[in-house]
Amino acid sequence: MALASLTASLRNMKVKDVPDFVKKTVTKENATVAYNNWFANYKKTYMDTNSPMPVVHVIGSVFCLSYVIAWPTEYSHWKHEQEAKIQGGKH
């Protein structure tokens, strides 16, 4: 929710005022408080109720992270294959 209020505040600002606003708003203390609030809420919602969702979240996060990490390699292989097709060679 903090991110939504931040974007709502930024939406009504002039571009020249944004850097000062971000320096004042996004601080280490604010990030720590927001993380602690998020984790307490997550723990109350999922962990304290013995929900299987944390396992699903970990599996989904690992999948997304591995996909993002592997994407540049796969893309370069794909580009090489496309160039080989254009030149008439085999991959």
Side-chain angles (χ1 to χ4, degrees):
M1 199 63 182
L3 186 60
S5 65
L6 178 67
T7 55
S9 298
L10 290 174
R11 197 174 307 138
N12 299 325
M13 291 188 153
K14 294 184 179 182
V15 175
K16 66 179 183 178
D17 299 332
V18 171
D20 291 331
F21 175 75
V22 171
K23 284 180 186 176
K24 292 176 186 174
T25 307
V26 181
T27 63
K28 186 176 180 180
E29 293 81 21
N30 288 347
T32 303
V33 168
Y35 173 77
N36 289 338
N37 289 340
W38 169 82
F39 187 74
N41 213 10
Y42 187 86
K43 184 178 181 306
K44 183 176 76 175
T45 304
Y46 296 114
M47 294 177 186
D48 292 343
T49 61
N50 293 325
S51 172
M53 287 308 291
V55 176
V56 173
H57 293 152
V58 168
I59 291 170
S61 299
V62 169
F63 172 77
C64 292
L65 182 63
S66 64
Y67 188 80
V68 167
I69 290 172
W71 175 251
T73 305
E74 295 300 323
Y75 182 72
S76 67
H77 285 278
W78 180 77
K79 288 297 281 185
H80 179 72
E81 183 179 321
Q82 295 300 317
E83 290 171 4
K85 284 181 183 178
I86 290 171
Q87 295 175 358
K90 293 183 179 178
H91 179 62

